[in-house]
Amino acid sequence: MLIREIQPYIRLAHIFSDAEFIKKTACTTDNRLFYILEGNCDIAVNHTTHTAHPGSVLLLPRGTSYKLSKTPAKVIGINFD
């Protein structure tokens, strides 16, 4: 299977660390999936804060406001339609 054949369409897939975390509230323009690889991550989703640990999966539908705290963590992020 080729990437272009995947449905839903994946716009972006990357691994990021706390250096790239969002420091202000953002609103998703597509669907987002975060998988925590290492460390802990505090994430405020629609103004409610949750702590994610290694192995946690977060699914944010389009239109969700969120903010990731600057804590030591390594995260896989996937943006898709």
Side-chain angles (χ1 to χ4, degrees):
M1 175 178 279
L2 300 174
I3 291 287
R4 68 177 176 262
E5 296 172 334
I6 296 174
Q7 295 296 328
Y9 179 74
I10 296 175
R11 295 184 176 280
L12 175 68
H14 69 295
I15 297 174
F16 60 97
S17 64
D18 64 331
E20 301 172 78
F21 276 21
I22 295 166
K23 295 162 184 65
K24 61 181 179 178
T25 301
C27 186
T28 61
T29 56
D30 51 16
N31 300 296
R32 309 241 166 119
L33 181 85
F34 295 129
Y35 178 78
I36 311 303
L37 289 171
E38 299 173 2
N40 298 319
C41 172
D42 289 335
I43 180 167
V45 179
N46 294 328
H47 309 293
T48 302
T49 302
H50 308 275
T51 300
H53 305 282
S56 295
V57 175
L58 305 165
L59 176 63
L60 304 177
R62 182 180 0 186
T64 303
S65 65
Y66 72 100
K67 179 180 177 179
L68 296 172
S69 68
K70 189 172 188 220
T71 56
K74 186 183 278 187
V75 179
I76 295 175
I78 300 173
N79 299 22
F80 61 97
D81 289 343

